[in-house]
Amino acid sequence: MKTKMKTMILAWSCLLAAGLSVTQNAVAEEEASKPNIVLINMDNFGYGELGCYGGGILRGGATPRIDKLAGEGMRLLNFNVEAQCTPSRAALMTGRYAIRTGNGSVPLSVADYGLTQWEYTMPEMLSDAGYATAMFGKWHLGQSEGRYPTDQGFDEWYGIPNSTDESLWPAQQDFQKYAKLAEKTGKNPMIKEEHIYTARKGSPVKAVKVYDIPARREIDREVTDHAKDFIGRQAKAGKPFFLYLPYTQTHMPNLPSKEFEGKSGNGNWGDVLMQIDAYTGELLDTLEHNKIAKNTIFIFTADNGGEMVPGYAGWNGPWSGSYFTGREGSLRVPFIIRWPGKVPAGKVSNEIVHQFDLFTTFASIAGGKVPQDRVIDGIDVSDFLLGKSEESGREGFVVYVGNDVHGVKWRNYKMLFKELEGDRGTGKLNVFPMPHFYNLFADPKEEYPVTQQMAGRLWYRWGLGPILVEHEKSLAAEPPIKPGTPDPYVPAKQNK
């Protein structure tokens, strides 16, 4: 009897072990089928900078690796972003208009800015889908505990919390005087030296060094090295990963690394373009070396159009306007995506895609979940990117500059209620008694509003207007989070 019982127990143990093995194998196979995602997000990088977008040697620095990448994948001519750094990054991370998250504008007076813990971010979504996640570079979505990248879904981070112009502060005598005064009195606590930080999920952030001019020059080199190390580690672990690389170039001051200083012979801008191209090439080579390039989605894009500061201004190709405006030079940025054997090689499209579409698209591809308890503005454009559809599915979007609606874009038409004079975001704001309408095929530089030249074509408004009406309805149904809202935050409708 005892022998029979032992035999039965042994049999059940074998069956249980076999079942666990099958389950573990199934999980491993599912993870192996998920593509890795590498997302490069340049800072204030104009539409016309790369060779494949009309720049490169025309701008003083060849970009052969990125141009080759474009030939191996799909290049979009109408990829759109929000008009400022913080809003752009908020939209990318949440799949929502930045106005909804309380981050519609670059923080100028609210120190406790950034994403509330209630927001469900891209790295959180991918982490829940089984991905390792890392971010190396500029965050600009929070500078306090609870608001850092490792509080918002990233497993690890190395970079800066805010903006690169802060690297100019330490060398200023008046800044040092008032920074010491602020430390002594406790007043004006944000007048302080910024640092480069490192962090792991579940642990406090650690300051590595002051973010000054020497650090500014080398941070993208360091970011690239961290990224290469992460790729190698995850390739060995056999786990799918999401690598987010928000580089600091070409935000002012756009100073090259010592490694690339003088390399182009055409000044800082040419040097920086060669640097960006080389770092991108290193990442591509690292994927090849680790034999995971074929199962990796590789994206090169930017958060905004080119700078508006004289001496640091970028080039937006055929478009007018800099970032901080509602013009195409602010909204359109380069977008290249490669996924060998999946994304059609060499394809070029003028279909509209918005940066918040990446959230829903990644969810579709990676098996992630899109929240159902809030408004999500992104749509799934995976069929379009994978060549299964010629249309993206997006007809247009509302154009924000800061927290203000400046207009609407629909297909190749545009309606603007407000415009800044000149090509820069520092111009005088003009509010029109009647909207200005543009046909972007006929007038790419937005020079001749329909109200002045082609009044008989105001039928445009019946394509443009409904987009704004639907958007305003959604804001009424789900009021935006107020800037500076602290955690914990729960929407009023969920708190009843």
Side-chain angles (χ1 to χ4, degrees):
M1 188 69 179
K2 288 182 178 178
T3 302
K4 186 176 181 180
M5 182 64 71
K6 287 181 179 178
T7 302
M8 290 177 65
I9 291 171
L10 182 60
W12 277 108
S13 297
C14 290
L15 285 171
L16 180 61
L20 287 172
S21 179
V22 169
T23 302
Q24 289 169 347
N25 287 339
V27 171
E29 287 177 8
E30 182 184 354
E31 286 188 346
S33 68
K34 295 176 184 288
N36 308 307
I37 301 170
V38 176
L39 174 56
I40 292 177
N41 195 31
M42 303 306 299
D43 196 2
N44 302 346
F45 190 75
Y47 183 97
E49 300 295 359
L50 300 173
C52 55
Y53 281 88
I57 57 174
L58 189 67
R59 293 287 284 150
T63 56
R65 293 302 303 269
I66 301 176
D67 297 345
K68 183 173 182 288
L69 176 71
E72 296 169 344
M74 180 187 288
R75 178 164 55 96
L76 300 187
L77 305 181
N78 208 341
F79 183 78
N80 298 264
V81 297
E82 298 228 20
Q84 298 176 11
C85 295
T86 295
S88 176
R89 292 153 196 269
L92 177 67
M93 288 291 108
T94 64
R96 292 151 50 83
Y97 282 105
I99 190 77
R100 300 192 192 280
T101 72
N103 292 280
S105 179
V106 169
L108 297 176
S109 58
V110 179
D112 189 22
Y113 80 103
L115 299 174
T116 64
Q117 288 291 316
W118 177 79
E119 295 291 344
Y120 188 60
T121 65
M122 183 183 288
E124 287 176 318
M125 177 267 290
L126 290 170
S127 180
D128 288 344
Y131 279 65
T133 60
M135 177 195 147
F136 306 117
K138 169 184 167 177
W139 177 232
H140 219 176
L141 286 173
Q143 57 185 355
S144 57
E145 290 296 337
R147 301 277 167 105
Y148 290 118
T150 45
D151 300 314
Q152 303 286 1
F154 287 106
D155 296 328
E156 52 189 280
W157 169 51
Y158 179 92
I160 56 174
N162 297 317
S163 187
T164 290
D165 55 279
E166 294 183 6
S167 66
L168 293 166
W169 298 358
Q172 300 172 24
Q173 288 185 345
D174 55 344
F175 165 78
Q176 289 293 344
K177 178 176 71 173
Y178 286 106
K180 290 176 182 177
L181 187 63
E183 185 178 8
K184 181 179 179 180
T185 64
K187 294 181 180 180
N188 308 114
M190 296 315 301
I191 300 178
K192 62 180 181 179
E193 290 180 332
E194 190 51 88
H195 287 72
I196 295 174
Y197 292 92
T198 186
R200 295 269 179 169
K201 184 184 290 185
S203 300
V205 301
K206 297 178 181 179
V208 177
K209 56 187 172 184
V210 172
Y211 190 47
D212 54 14
I213 290 299
R216 190 276 169 276
R217 284 186 178 275
E218 304 304 331
I219 187 171
D220 282 6
R221 170 73 272 168
E222 295 172 357
V223 162
T224 305
D225 291 341
H226 278 276
K228 290 160 63 178
D229 174 68
F230 177 77
I231 291 171
R233 284 188 280 122
Q234 299 313 315
K236 288 180 181 178
K239 186 174 183 178
F241 63 83
F242 171 50
L243 173 57
Y244 176 48
L245 287 166
Y247 278 115
T248 65
Q249 294 288 4
T250 48
H251 193 292
M252 61 84 69
N254 54 306
L255 303 172
S257 163
K258 289 293 184 182
E259 178 186 1
F260 286 88
E261 188 174 17
K263 194 161 188 177
S264 71
N266 296 315
N268 284 347
W269 207 275
D271 295 345
V272 165
L273 285 177
M274 292 183 71
Q275 174 180 306
I276 292 166
D277 190 68
Y279 292 169
T280 301
E282 288 183 27
L283 295 169
L284 293 167
D285 291 344
T286 302
L287 293 172
E288 291 287 352
H289 175 75
N290 286 280
K291 298 180 173 56
I292 55 174
K294 289 184 178 180
N295 195 38
T296 299
I297 297 172
F298 194 101
I299 293 173
F300 184 102
T301 188
D303 68 338
N304 304 123
E307 286 271 5
M308 61 185 173
V309 180
Y312 295 115
W315 189 47
N316 296 313
W319 317 114
S320 65
S322 70
Y323 77 147
F324 278 73
T325 75
R327 290 178 171 267
E328 293 299 287
S330 171
L331 306 178
R332 292 204 205 196
V333 296
F335 183 93
I336 299 166
I337 178 171
R338 186 190 77 171
W339 186 7
K342 302 286 186 178
V343 171
K347 186 165 185 179
V348 180
S349 176
N350 193 45
E351 282 288 294
I352 293 177
V353 176
H354 198 283
Q355 64 186 157
F356 46 52
D357 295 329
L358 294 184
F359 182 99
T360 34
T361 301
F362 287 169
S364 174
I365 291 173
K369 294 181 179 179
V370 177
Q372 302 299 310
D373 63 342
R374 66 202 67 190
V375 175
I376 297 293
D377 299 294
I379 64 171
D380 178 7
V381 297
S382 57
D383 280 353
F384 166 66
L385 295 177
L386 297 176
K388 298 176 183 178
S389 172
E390 290 298 313
E391 297 180 349
S392 68
R394 174 167 295 285
E395 291 202 338
F397 58 92
V398 177
V399 177
Y400 275 94
V401 178
N403 293 303
D404 296 331
V405 173
H406 272 222
V408 182
K409 185 170 171 178
W410 169 70
R411 296 183 180 268
N412 60 293
Y413 303 106
K414 202 164 173 188
M415 172 172 64
L416 291 178
F417 309 110
K418 305 174 182 179
E419 283 188 85
L420 290 157
E421 286 185 358
D423 259 10
R424 304 294 169 201
T426 52
K428 176 185 174 183
L429 180 64
N430 291 326
V431 181
F432 308 129
M434 182 177 182
H436 283 190
F437 294 85
Y438 298 98
N439 179 339
L440 296 172
F441 284 161
D443 182 19
K445 295 185 78 69
E446 300 169 82
E447 295 176 302
Y448 309 109
V450 167
T451 45
Q452 296 175 12
Q453 302 293 327
M454 298 180 289
R457 298 190 179 183
L458 293 184
W459 57 267
Y460 299 169
R461 69 187 188 275
W462 298 115
L464 293 151
I467 294 173
L468 181 58
V469 170
E470 289 301 312
H471 178 65
E472 289 176 337
K473 285 181 181 178
S474 73
L475 292 176
E478 182 186 293
I481 299 171
K482 293 181 180 179
T485 295
D487 288 309
Y489 167 79
V490 179
K493 65 179 181 180
Q494 295 187 16
N495 203 22
K496 293 180 180 178

